[in-house]
């Protein structure tokens, strides 16, 4: 499960569930799957499917980041020029959107990191090998499986780095947003102090 995709991958078929309105994810997956089939028809089906799913999820999150970034930047620029209620409310809205995307990206990073922490789990992702040579994956000889996951690990590492890049961009945006809010709070405090001085 990689947000927002849920998939059951078998050695020769795959069942995928995407949220309502996210049919474009399926199109991205099918396109990548066809590309991978053309590149190397001998690559096991499940490996092509893993990459197609990872491609679609990473592309979706990257698109959402690139769509959110200029809107957050515009809000920061606006709030640095004025402290009107409307602008401050817009900043709060962008903060909530940023937090939501951060959570989703981080959840997927955590899922990949957890999977990569287990040699055995990665080895068991080689479904075609399991289907053709089940004796290799018996519990009695499971220790040798640490040598059976290089292809899976390389694939997961590639997409984890992509998610790390998106998350780093989100953290930079978060820092900018935090700085803008601190500046706004300071200006509001100074304005309030001036009003109090006038009252005195």
């Amino acid at each position: 499960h990689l947000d927002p995709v849920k998939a059951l991958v078998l050695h020769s078929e795959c069942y995928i569930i995407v949220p309502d309105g996210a049919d474009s994810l399926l199109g991205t997956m099918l396109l990548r799957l066809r590309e991978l089939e053309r590149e190397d028809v001998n690559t096991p089906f499940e490996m092509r499917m893993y990459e197609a799913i990872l491609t679609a999820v990473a592309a979706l999150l990257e698109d959402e980041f690139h769509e959110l970034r200029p809107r957050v930047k515009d809000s920061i620029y606006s709030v640095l020029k004025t402290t009107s209620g409307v602008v401050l409310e817009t900043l709060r809205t962008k903060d909530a959107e940023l937090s939501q995307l951060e959570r989703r990206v981080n959840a997927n990073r955590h899922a990949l990191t957890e999977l990569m922490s287990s040699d055995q789990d990665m080895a068991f992702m080689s479904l075609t090998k399991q289907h053709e040579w089940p004796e290799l994956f018996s519990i009695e000889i499971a220790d040798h499986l640490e040598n059976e996951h290089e292809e899976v690990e390389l694939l997961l590492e590639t997409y984890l780095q992509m998610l790390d890049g998106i998350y780093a961009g989100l953290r930079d945006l978060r820092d900018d947003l935090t700085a803008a809010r601190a500046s706004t709070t300071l200006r509001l405090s100074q304005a309030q102090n001036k009003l109090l001085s006038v009252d005195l």
Side-chain angles (χ1 to χ4, degrees):
H1 174 207
L2 287 176
D3 184 25
V5 175
K6 294 180 180 177
L8 174 62
V9 180
L10 305 176
H11 78 279
S12 61
E13 56 189 342
C14 179
Y15 301 91
I16 298 172
I17 300 172
V18 295
D20 289 339
D23 292 349
S24 62
L25 276 170
L26 294 174
T28 304
M29 285 180 220
L30 285 172
L31 185 63
R32 184 60 183 142
L33 200 55
R34 289 190 186 115
E35 288 172 354
L36 291 166
E37 283 171 357
R38 285 195 298 271
E39 288 171 15
D40 187 357
V41 72
N42 295 318
T43 301
F45 171 79
E46 73 274 9
M47 293 303 299
R48 284 178 279 157
M49 203 65 241
Y50 298 149
E51 183 161 354
I53 292 168
L54 287 164
T55 297
V57 170
L60 174 69
L61 294 172
E62 192 165 33
D63 287 348
E64 289 184 23
F65 167 66
H66 288 303
E67 190 272 331
L68 179 62
R69 188 174 185 274
R71 293 192 293 115
V72 171
K73 291 285 191 182
D74 287 346
S75 295
I76 290 171
Y77 179 71
S78 297
V79 85
L80 291 175
K81 289 197 306 182
T82 178
T83 53
S84 74
V86 174
V87 171
L88 290 173
E89 184 55 38
T90 301
L91 198 61
R92 276 190 285 272
T93 302
K94 297 299 176 288
D95 190 8
E97 289 180 51
L98 184 57
S99 295
Q100 184 182 36
L101 187 54
E102 278 178 324
R103 281 193 297 272
R104 289 175 54 214
V105 171
N106 210 29
N108 286 335
R109 288 171 68 232
H110 178 73
L112 293 184
T113 302
E114 188 174 359
L115 183 55
M116 289 173 65
S117 70
S118 170
D119 292 341
Q120 196 170 79
D121 286 348
M122 287 190 288
F124 276 109
M125 289 175 69
S126 299
L127 304 176
T128 298
K129 282 184 185 175
Q130 279 191 72
H131 179 72
E132 294 175 353
W133 301 289
E135 65 279 2
L136 294 178
F137 294 84
S138 66
I139 299 300
E140 292 78 17
I141 57 172
D143 289 343
H144 84 286
L145 291 178
E146 62 186 34
N147 301 316
E148 298 291 331
H149 64 72
E150 285 182 17
E151 189 178 3
V152 171
E153 187 172 19
L154 283 172
L155 179 66
L156 297 177
E157 263 180 17
T158 299
Y159 285 90
L160 180 58
Q161 287 174 8
M162 289 175 68
L163 293 178
D164 284 344
I166 296 168
Y167 191 71
L170 289 168
R171 295 310 300 167
D172 287 344
L173 267 186
R174 166 68 60 206
D175 290 344
D176 292 345
L177 200 58
T178 300
R181 292 181 79 163
S183 172
T184 302
T185 301
L186 179 62
R187 282 185 293 136
L188 286 172
S189 178
Q190 289 171 340
Q192 188 177 29
N193 288 339
K194 283 182 184 177
L195 286 173
L196 289 172
S197 297
V198 170
D199 288 343
L200 290 174

